[in-house]
């Protein structure tokens, strides 16, 4: 708003009384019902209250609130549809052309799966700080990020940016398409709220790290660590962990670094900035930061065999 220009105040509120989650998922117009949804027990109920107030034309003043509850999860015999995430399952990765035709068999206890406790602390923090800094505290949706995205869109006239939480990203990778329609977003939020109500934060993060794409046909942190650096995630150095965290937004595009054998100056600055932020937050020591900043990122490529060399 220009200096001195006023904007009318407003208050809006919406409430949803306890409704079966299955009914809600099936009521989203034009949205394809996720396969897991058919198994949700009818006694899994969802209720929500959302409100926002402020100056109508000035989103910087908006005060959004969102509260939701999930009922029936503790009832005997209740099925949420998400039980399959606890064991080996077929995963059809999401690609630019849709779901992959050939599934990956993944999940806890499968080869290449890394548990939450096995993921190095610095790697966990690098991913969270880079992708979703309030992940440990929100319940699936960071409503302030939504407000900021709307504010930015109104100020620039451009389409609102993403701002998805790790939980939303996991839901998209597991169940949805790349469409960015409002209806698909509603479906995503409903499933995210269910996911957050069923799994712990550690379980959500573990599945996120093991399922997301880290490069062309590279899925999961273990495969990513082996591909880029030839080592298990537990043996990576801080700057290597930070690099992996910074390629998550567009892993196929950023794979050009590996193809060329070096990281661009611009992306190097992004890695350095992330490490410095971890240091300011007390999650990377001064010595570790100094060592990381002084070390160049080097990719480990498969060694070419010499003529006449045996296997």
């Amino acid at each position: 708003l220009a200096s001195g220009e006023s904007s009318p105040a407003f208050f809006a509120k919406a409430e949803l009384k306890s409704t079966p989650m299955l009914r809600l998922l099936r009521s989203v117009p034009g949205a394809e019902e996720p396969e897991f949804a058919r198994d949700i027990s009818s006694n899994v109920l969802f209720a929500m209250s959302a409100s926002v107030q402020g100056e109508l034309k000035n989103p910087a003043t908006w005060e959004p609130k969102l509260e939701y509850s999930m009922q029936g999860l503790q009832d005997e015999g209740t099925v949420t549809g998400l039980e399959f995430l606890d064991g080996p399952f077929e995963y059809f990765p999401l690609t630019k052309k849709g779901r992959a035709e050939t599934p990956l068999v993944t999940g806890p206890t499968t080869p290449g799966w890394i548990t939450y406790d096995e993921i190095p602390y610095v790697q966990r923090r690098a991913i969270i700080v880079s992708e979703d800094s309030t992940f440990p505290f929100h319940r699936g949706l960071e409503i302030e990020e939504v407000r900021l995205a709307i504010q930015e869109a109104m100020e620039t006239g451009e389409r609102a940016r993403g701002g998805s939480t790790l939980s939303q990203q996991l839901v998209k990778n597991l169940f949805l398409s790349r469409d960015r329609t409002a209806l698909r977003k509603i479906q995503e939020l409903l499933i995210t709220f269910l996911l957050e109500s069923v799994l712990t934060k550690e379980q959500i993060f573990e599945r996120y790290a093991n399922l997301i794409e880290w490069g062309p046909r590279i899925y999961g942190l273990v495969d990513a660590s082996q591909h880029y650096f030839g080592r298990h995630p537990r043996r990576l150095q801080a700057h290597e962990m930070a690099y992996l965290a910074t390629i998550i937004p567009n892993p196929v595009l950023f794979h050009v670094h590996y193809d060329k054998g070096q990281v661009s100056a611009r992306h190097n600055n992004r890695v350095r900035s992330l490490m410095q932020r971890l240091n300011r937050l007390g999650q990377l020591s001064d010595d570790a930061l100094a060592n990381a900043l002084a070390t160049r990122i080097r990719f480990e490529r498969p060694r070419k065999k010499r003529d006449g060399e045996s296997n």
Side-chain angles (χ1 to χ4, degrees), residues 4 12 27 47 62 115 127 152-154 180 213 218 224 291 303 310:
S27 68
W62 293 2
T115 66
I127 293 172
E152 183 179 312
M154 291 180 66
R180 298 183 63 183
E213 186 177 29
I218 303 168
N291 182 66
R303 186 172 64 90
S310 60

Side-chain angles (χ1 to χ4, degrees), residues 253-300:
L253 175 66
F254 292 140
H255 195 262
V256 68
H257 302 146
Y258 179 86
D259 294 334
K260 292 184 176 180
Q262 63 180 19
V263 181
S264 68
R266 181 178 181 180
H267 198 96
N268 243 323
N269 289 336
R270 187 177 291 121
V271 175
R272 295 168 67 92
S273 177
L274 175 57
M275 291 190 295
Q276 290 165 343
R277 188 176 176 189
L278 290 171
N279 174 256
R280 290 195 299 272
L281 292 170
Q283 295 160 2
L284 186 64
S285 69
D286 292 343
D287 288 344
L289 174 64
N291 182 66
L293 293 177
T295 308
R296 189 164 69 90
I297 296 172
R298 296 179 182 274
F299 299 119
E300 182 70 26

Side-chain angles (χ1 to χ4, degrees), residues 30-282:
E32 183 177 348
E33 180 182 316
E35 186 175 345
F36 84 91
R38 64 189 180 190
D39 297 323
I40 300 177
S41 298
S42 59
N43 58 327
V44 176
L45 307 178
F46 177 76
M48 183 187 73
S49 176
S51 66
V52 60
Q53 63 180 353
E55 297 178 12
L56 185 60
K57 297 181 181 180
N58 186 5
T61 67
W62 293 2
E63 298 176 15
K65 295 181 180 179
L66 173 68
E67 296 179 352
Y68 71 86
S69 64
M70 202 76 65
Q71 304 165 27
L73 295 178
Q74 306 304 321
D75 294 354
E76 185 177 353
T78 290
V79 175
T80 66
L82 300 178
E83 287 80 6
F84 75 93
L85 293 174
D86 294 331
F89 59 91
E90 288 190 343
Y91 172 52
F92 293 82
L94 184 61
T95 70
K96 288 186 176 180
K97 297 181 180 180
R99 292 286 169 185
E101 295 182 0
T102 304
L104 302 175
V105 177
T106 186
T109 74
T110 61
W113 186 272
I114 187 170
T115 66
Y116 178 84
D117 290 334
E118 290 175 325
I119 301 174
Y121 174 77
V122 171
Q123 182 69 83
R124 296 200 305 259
R125 294 306 307 164
I127 293 172
I128 290 174
V129 168
S130 178
E131 288 293 296
D132 182 4
S133 60
T134 60
F135 173 71
F137 313 109
H138 64 62
R139 296 186 64 204
L141 175 67
E142 179 45 79
I143 199 163
E144 177 61 13
E145 280 295 314
V146 176
R147 186 196 67 76
L148 290 173
I150 295 174
Q151 178 180 344
E152 183 179 312
M154 291 180 66
E155 292 174 348
T156 64
E158 299 178 355
R159 185 174 183 175
R161 57 186 169 82
S164 294
T165 63
L166 292 189
S167 304
Q168 289 174 277
Q169 292 179 43
L170 177 59
V171 165
K172 182 187 72 175
N173 278 276
L174 277 170
F175 306 117
L176 305 177
S177 68
R178 292 184 180 273
D179 295 341
R180 298 183 63 183
T181 64
L183 291 176
R184 201 226 65 157
K185 202 67 178 178
I186 292 173
Q187 187 183 37
E188 176 187 288
L189 286 175
L190 289 172
I191 301 174
T192 297
F193 294 152
L194 177 63
L195 185 83
E196 283 272 347
S197 301
V198 173
L199 301 182
T200 66
K201 286 292 186 179
E202 290 79 8
Q203 290 172 324
I204 292 173
F205 185 89
E206 178 181 314
R207 283 147 185 78
Y208 175 87
N210 280 282
L211 295 175
I212 64 169
E213 186 177 29
W214 298 80
R217 296 178 298 282
I218 303 168
Y219 299 97
L221 177 60
V222 172
D223 282 356
S225 178
Q226 293 286 359
H227 173 76
Y228 291 102
F229 302 113
R231 281 169 280 132
H232 190 274
R234 291 192 300 266
R235 298 179 57 206
L236 294 184
Q237 299 181 49
H239 64 290
E240 295 168 332
M241 297 181 195
Y243 175 78
L244 289 180
T246 60
I247 65 173
I248 291 175
N250 203 332
V252 175
L253 175 66
F254 292 140
H255 195 262
V256 68
H257 302 146
Y258 179 86
D259 294 334
K260 292 184 176 180
Q262 63 180 19
V263 181
S264 68
R266 181 178 181 180
H267 198 96
N268 243 323
N269 289 336
R270 187 177 291 121
V271 175
R272 295 168 67 92
S273 177
L274 175 57
M275 291 190 295
Q276 290 165 343
R277 188 176 176 189
L278 290 171
N279 174 256
R280 290 195 299 272
L281 292 170

